[in-house]
Amino acid sequence: MPTARYRRGIRLCHDVLMFIVTTNDVPGYRITQVLGEVMGLTVRSTDFGQSFTAGFRALGGGEIPEYTQVMYESRQVVMGRMWAEAQQRGANAIVAMRFDTGSIGTFSEVCGYGTAVVVEPLAAPAPPASV
């Protein structure tokens, strides 16, 4: 899977820019083509040590860092998979991106999905005419 860096809502992966936004459009750009839904999915579990430690932490209440880390990593994985699917379709942006989570027994499922689109910058406004 490609490694990625983020910069203000833009995902840069192997020097390919892709906007991934939760809005229905990208400010300053117009959608010229809709390529369809894209998604990334993962089902994860914690290892025995994480589960054991997390069980003790749960007794005291508060955040459980072991589970937080699993969920954070899961979101990164699904973003990468969704990005790769959109890139394969020829998209340079994903709009209306959402996460969904669930559980299957003791496993956690994370899904990221959105609409792959092609965007292009809006034309710069013309400078005012001189009098």
Side-chain angles (χ1 to χ4, degrees):
M1 173 177 351
T3 59
R5 299 186 310 270
Y6 289 96
R7 182 188 211 166
R8 292 187 185 205
I10 302 172
R11 188 173 178 99
L12 177 62
C13 192
H14 293 293
D15 297 324
V16 175
L17 291 175
M18 181 166 311
F19 291 99
I20 300 178
V21 297
T22 58
T23 56
N24 292 330
D25 57 9
V26 180
Y29 291 78
R30 73 170 166 220
I31 296 174
T32 60
Q33 205 174 1
V34 176
L35 303 173
E37 181 183 358
V38 290
M39 65 172 281
L41 177 72
T42 188
V43 177
R44 307 278 302 261
S45 69
T46 56
D47 64 34
F48 178 76
Q50 287 174 316
S51 295
F52 186 76
T53 304
F56 278 111
R57 286 188 199 272
L59 295 174
E63 182 177 3
I64 303 172
E66 293 80 10
Y67 291 153
T68 301
Q69 185 63 31
V70 167
M71 296 306 290
Y72 180 78
E73 290 170 0
S74 295
R75 287 172 61 119
Q76 296 302 311
V77 167
V78 301
M79 290 283 287
R81 291 177 180 168
M82 182 176 54
W83 178 93
E85 186 178 335
Q87 185 187 27
Q88 287 174 348
R89 292 188 188 189
N92 64 356
I94 299 171
V95 296
M97 194 283 298
R98 302 287 188 267
F99 286 109
D100 190 22
T101 61
S103 62
I104 304 168
T106 59
F107 304 110
S108 65
E109 175 235 356
V110 177
C111 178
Y113 60 94
T115 303
V117 297
V118 174
V119 295
E120 63 182 35
L122 295 173
S130 59
V131 181

